[in-house]
Amino acid sequence: MDNLQIFRIFLSFLLLMGLSCVPITYANDQFIINHSESNLDHRYQYTYDLLQLVIDATDADFGQASLEVSDVIMSRNRILRELQDGQTINVIAEASNLQWNAQLIPIKIPIRKGIQGFRIFIIQKENAETLAKITSIAQLTSLKTGSGSQWSTKVAMQQAGFEVVESIQYDSLFNMLSKGRFVTFGRGVNEVYQEVDQFSLEYPNLVIDENIMLHIPLATYFYVSPNKPRLAQRIEVGLRRIINNGEFERLFYQRHCDFLVKSKLNQRLIFKINNPLISESEMTSIVGKDFLLNPMDDFSVLCKNITDLIVFN
């Protein structure tokens, strides 16, 4: 073996050693989530924080990532178009929708545990006695109700026999209710208290009914652009991880126990209607049926036990 061959072998050895010392680099994933429908609409804050928790939980194996909230307020139909492209936004947390399931990548883990399907009504003060006297679903459906034009709950309510008065604008629904365009305005337990408080100065005649809950099976999923399959994979891995280690439950109950306790769901008259857009078996296909909330539970006890456990840990 001549000197040139020895030199080449030595050079190859140094090259291999050098490559083995190069740190592994990861893609810097960029999550761009939608802006809420209005500057007064804070329903998405929990989902922003949950997504950040997912990102943090997958940092070691997926690498660094950024989370950005789009500064553009868009209708849900436009959001779908933008998600299909994946440039302006590439992820959203939204109620299950057959069209979205077909055209986007859904991560079928109900990240709100079904709570947004526990519908409590915002009403005018003068109609409180009317709702207090209701004893049947037929009486409830005889009252005009309000809904966003593109909300999935609208379809379920129409199928159940409600006369639904629609608006494409989130803010305008509160104005329409205060003017008597409809009698009831169903909102999720996770939404209703904040909304009445936010609109109290503008519409002081609006209050929360204390007697009835309408249960519509409803799941909020993360939907991802079909052009961003890596982000979808990362979200599913992260969600499974934080569910298994308890971080999901801690965040969920920290953000929702106040509303669950205040609503006294198990003391209300509960009417349940079908949702043609989703079944409870689909909602629980990944996480199991016990993952969903039961409105008949006493959340004053459940939340105290969970809070004590969180503090203890």
Side-chain angles (χ1 to χ4, degrees), residues 40-51:
L40 294 174
D41 179 5
H42 299 290
R43 291 173 294 162
Y44 289 94
Q45 189 57 53
Y46 163 73
T47 60
Y48 300 157
D49 295 340
L50 179 61
L51 186 54

Side-chain angles (χ1 to χ4, degrees), residues 13-249:
F13 174 77
L14 288 179
L15 181 60
L16 288 172
M17 288 295 295
L19 288 174
S20 68
C21 296
V22 174
I24 299 174
T25 58
Y26 299 90
N28 189 352
D29 292 327
Q30 184 182 27
F31 292 83
I32 310 173
I33 198 166
N34 65 299
H35 194 288
S36 57
E37 293 181 29
S38 159
N39 289 326
L40 294 174
D41 179 5
H42 299 290
R43 291 173 294 162
Y44 289 94
Q45 189 57 53
Y46 163 73
T47 60
Y48 300 157
D49 295 340
L50 179 61
L51 186 54
Q52 185 62 60
L53 201 61
V54 164
I55 290 171
D56 294 342
T58 52
D59 181 79
D61 42 345
F62 281 83
Q64 295 182 344
S66 61
L67 174 57
E68 175 187 343
V69 178
S70 170
D71 58 1
V72 181
I73 297 177
M74 297 177 279
S75 70
R76 295 192 187 188
N77 287 342
R78 182 182 170 191
I79 285 173
L80 174 59
R81 294 194 300 270
E82 296 294 343
L83 278 169
Q84 288 171 324
D85 178 64
Q87 298 301 311
T88 304
I89 59 171
N90 54 38
V91 61
I92 186 176
E94 193 54 81
S96 176
N97 181 296
L98 297 178
Q99 183 182 16
W100 290 37
N101 287 346
Q103 298 182 18
L104 304 172
I105 305 176
I107 293 86
K108 293 188 175 182
I109 295 175
I111 59 174
R112 293 190 189 274
K113 296 170 73 72
I115 192 175
Q116 78 280 24
F118 299 169
R119 312 298 279 188
I120 291 177
F121 294 108
I122 305 176
I123 58 175
Q124 292 187 26
K125 288 178 184 178
E126 62 189 56
N127 290 322
E129 188 175 344
T130 298
L131 266 72
K133 293 179 179 178
I134 286 177
T135 58
S136 70
I137 186 68
Q139 291 174 311
L140 184 60
T141 58
S142 69
L143 305 175
K144 289 183 180 180
T145 194
S147 172
S149 299
Q150 298 168 12
W151 295 357
S152 59
T153 49
K154 180 196 74 173
V155 179
M157 297 181 78
Q158 287 174 327
Q159 181 174 281
F162 284 90
E163 181 180 349
V164 180
V165 180
E166 306 174 27
S167 173
I168 198 169
Q169 297 295 330
Y170 169 81
D171 291 3
S172 67
L173 286 160
F174 296 89
N175 179 267
M176 293 165 67
L177 175 61
S178 80
K179 291 181 177 178
R181 292 279 305 280
F182 43 84
V183 179
T184 63
F185 182 30
R187 309 299 296 130
V189 169
N190 57 305
E191 304 164 325
V192 65
Y193 293 99
Q194 291 176 313
E195 290 177 339
V196 169
D197 182 60
Q198 288 163 5
F199 287 96
S200 61
L201 292 179
E202 192 170 0
Y203 308 115
N205 63 325
L206 301 185
V207 297
I208 298 171
D209 167 64
E210 297 180 355
N211 299 285
I212 294 172
M213 189 198 92
L214 182 66
H215 185 186
I216 307 174
L218 193 64
T220 295
Y221 295 147
F222 279 120
Y223 284 95
V224 180
S225 168
N227 293 324
K228 303 291 182 180
R230 174 185 163 88
L231 300 188
Q233 179 190 18
R234 181 167 183 163
I235 290 174
E236 181 166 352
V237 169
L239 281 174
R240 288 176 181 269
R241 191 167 290 169
I242 63 175
I243 288 171
N244 290 336
N245 67 20
E247 289 183 83
F248 178 93
E249 293 285 290

